Amino acid sequence: MNGRGLAGTGSAGTDASTLVTDAVVDRVAELLRSAVGLRAEPTLRARMRRCIRDEIADNGTDAESYLRALTAGSALRQSLLNRITVQETAFFRHPEHFALLEREILPATRRPLSIWSAGCANGQEAYSLAMLLEERCITGSIIATDISTSALARTDAARYSTKEVSGLTTARVDRHLSAVGDGWEVTQALRNRVSTMHHNLIDPVPSRVRSCQIIFCRNVLIYFSPEHARIFLDRVAQTMPAAWLFLGSSETIWAIGDRYETVRFGDTYAYRSLPGSPAAVPRSLPAPSPEAPFRARARPTPVAATPADHDEAAMIAGLARSGQTALDAGHHAAAVVLFRKWAYLAPQDCLAHLHLGLALEAAADPAAALRAFSAARRALDLADPAEVEHAIDGYSIAELHKLLDAKQQEPTR
Ligand SMILES: C[S@@+](CC[C@H](N)C(=O)[O-])C[C@H]1O[C@@H](n2cnc3c(N)ncnc32)[C@H](O)[C@@H]1O
């Protein structure tokens, strides 16, 4: 219970769950999408419905009064955000990022170091970074920001349960935590390195964080609509040139656009904003050449029936471009992942399957490449020839047929 009520709205004690209709969820989803970039995909919608129901019950109101108050009031909105946002996190989550940071980036970054933990949840990410700096005797600090005020309060409190610290080595627990009650408290030395700030990532980058050289924004953009993820990434690129950016490992590089360089260290990726890059515009792809036939090309954006269609078309174009960039850079596995997503989103698109096949070939997986070429051939047989020809301008359908036939006849090793 949050202890607040909406005066005069009546109906306390009503079983509010029956009142959270699809229309109510739609309105809240739209409000949160425009306010904080939240993408209301089906699992999140179910969570949203439960949270709205609980907020309505806690406030002793009904759905209509709640919606009116939510639209007008920031306290209610914050309360809903505190409930709806997902604070799943852990100390040294994605350990490969910390290893990469320690090995490759920290030695080459000027001091004092400053790191932005963007979407810090309950603070474990920020304190993991602080541990690393402390252990390496590096002068530096971490600014931890989040949209959730309850997450920030937990970060400030710096107290964790035994379960929450279970991922830390005994040496780290001994060095950085002290037992308090039935849990653990982070040492003052680490707490001195971490400061918190309430910040919505779709707002302009706050001046305090602009001087950070490293940004950890992991497992946050997955909750954003593609449009809002782009807004955030563009803002960072514009205001924080040459900053290192770490994203969650399930967050693909399609949204990264042309304003970041993808830097691969073994199997781990980090991104670097390109200094002085112009405003984000789609990269103009080179004309097809005999050596590189049918390069991924931004597909013409179809007339979008809905904003969601438009987002999907933009996402597909981004996947095609990023896949080609990865392939050009010799990052075959990454190209396979990107082209596979393109083919998954556009199974009718023969070029998606063709590119997947070419990337699989480059990744030395001839059997899977053959399957992709066969899928490309089937898609080509069903496709509108005019549309395909437009997409492969400079080539003819006959040449595409010839290429696919040849690919299907190559022996698989
Ligand atoms: C799953 S946690 C990720 C925590 C940590 N970065 C990690 O990878 O372990 C996502 C966090 O992003 C925050 N968040 C979501 N939308 C946000 C927004 N628009 N602005 C700032 N933080 C946001 C949530 O409150 C939540 O704490």
Side-chain angles (χ1 to χ4, degrees):
M1 296 283 283
N2 62 16
R4 279 190 321 277
L6 297 176
T9 51
S11 72
T14 310
D15 178 7
S17 62
T18 57
L19 304 177
V20 184
T21 60
D22 281 348
V24 170
V25 177
D26 285 347
R27 282 170 64 187
V28 174
E30 180 46 35
L31 194 79
L32 294 185
R33 196 193 67 79
S34 60
V36 296
L38 206 63
R39 177 168 62 97
E41 37 79 39
T43 44
L44 192 62
R45 264 183 82 87
R47 180 182 172 87
M48 204 176 272
R49 192 185 299 275
R50 284 195 304 277
C51 293
I52 299 167
R53 180 197 61 202
D54 294 347
E55 284 285 298
I56 290 174
D58 276 8
N59 283 285
T61 186
D62 59 79
E64 268 311 310
S65 312
Y66 175 73
L67 274 178
R68 268 198 305 279
L70 189 67
T71 312
S74 62
L76 271 187
R77 196 176 295 183
Q78 187 60 59
S79 172
L80 179 62
L81 280 172
N82 287 354
R83 215 188 266 273
I84 238 167
T85 49
V86 177
Q87 266 74 51
E88 188 187 327
T89 186
F91 284 101
F92 290 93
R93 185 180 191 184
H94 307 310
E96 68 280 8
H97 287 166
F98 291 89
L100 167 60
L101 183 68
E102 187 172 11
R103 199 181 60 239
E104 308 281 348
I105 297 177
L106 292 185
T109 311
R110 78 185 140 71
R111 312 291 194 253
L113 196 77
S114 49
I115 307 180
W116 181 14
S117 171
C120 63
N122 294 336
Q124 288 93 322
E125 180 178 88
Y127 289 117
S128 303
L129 291 163
M131 286 178 195
L132 211 58
L133 299 192
E134 190 75 7
E135 289 162 11
R136 305 273 305 212
C137 301
I138 293 173
T139 313
S141 57
I142 295 99
I143 304 176
T145 71
D146 205 283
I147 193 76
S148 160
T149 49
S150 47
L152 291 172
R154 278 218 59 200
T155 304
D156 283 329
R159 288 197 176 193
Y160 298 97
S161 67
T162 298
K163 187 166 171 234
E164 285 172 321
V165 305
S166 62
L168 286 173
T169 60
T170 313
R172 281 195 162 129
V173 171
D174 290 347
R175 176 162 182 184
H176 301 297
L177 304 177
S178 34
V180 174
D182 56 1
W184 300 88
E185 188 176 76
V186 173
T187 58
Q188 191 62 46
L190 292 194
R191 294 166 70 178
N192 290 344
R193 288 179 181 268
V194 174
S195 58
T196 56
M197 185 171 67
H198 188 229
H199 173 61
N200 179 356
L201 290 176
I202 70 167
D203 287 343
V205 178
S207 52
R208 253 186 79 196
V209 304
R210 287 185 188 186
S211 54
C212 289
Q213 304 110 308
I214 297 161
I215 306 158
F216 268 48
C217 184
R218 306 174 315 152
N219 311 297
V220 181
L221 300 185
I222 37 168
Y223 298 103
F224 280 28
S225 73
E227 169 204 350
H228 288 95
R230 268 194 304 277
I231 289 173
F232 167 74
L233 291 167
D234 282 354
R235 286 211 162 116
V236 167
Q238 236 161 19
T239 49
M240 302 176 73
W244 285 99
L245 172 67
F246 286 83
L247 298 176
S249 32
S250 64
E251 287 158 319
T252 56
I253 56 172
W254 64 264
I256 282 288
D258 292 351
R259 311 188 74 182
Y260 291 83
E261 173 194 6
T262 303
V263 188
R264 182 181 179 188
F265 301 90
D267 290 336
T268 309
Y269 290 88
Y271 306 95
R272 198 156 201 207
S273 53
L274 295 169
S277 55
V281 286
R283 190 200 301 263
S284 60
L285 289 151
S289 73
E291 299 78 46
F294 312 118
R295 295 175 64 86
R297 164 177 198 278
R299 312 306 313 278
T301 306
V303 178
T306 66
D309 289 347
H310 183 82
D311 282 350
E312 183 161 310
M315 188 187 300
I316 286 173
L319 285 168
R321 278 199 306 272
S322 303
Q324 188 64 54
T325 306
L327 198 57
D328 288 346
H331 301 157
H332 304 144
V336 167
V337 169
L338 291 158
F339 289 145
R340 208 185 280 292
K341 285 189 177 158
W342 176 13
Y344 175 79
L345 287 174
Q348 77 296 345
D349 189 336
C350 68
L351 290 186
H353 298 288
L354 170 61
H355 279 85
L356 176 59
L358 294 171
L360 285 162
E361 253 186 358
D365 189 347
L370 182 59
R371 285 195 295 276
F373 291 133
S374 305
R377 184 61 211 250
R378 283 194 300 278
L380 181 58
D381 289 343
L382 296 172
D384 172 355
E387 203 192 307
V388 177
E389 229 151 40
H390 173 81
I392 55 169
D393 61 348
Y395 285 85
S396 67
I397 296 246
E399 282 170 302
L400 188 50
H401 272 290
K402 219 160 108 188
L403 173 70
L404 285 173
D405 288 346
K407 289 289 176 196
Q408 286 177 278
Q409 276 154 23
E410 279 173 17
T412 53
R413 285 166 295 276

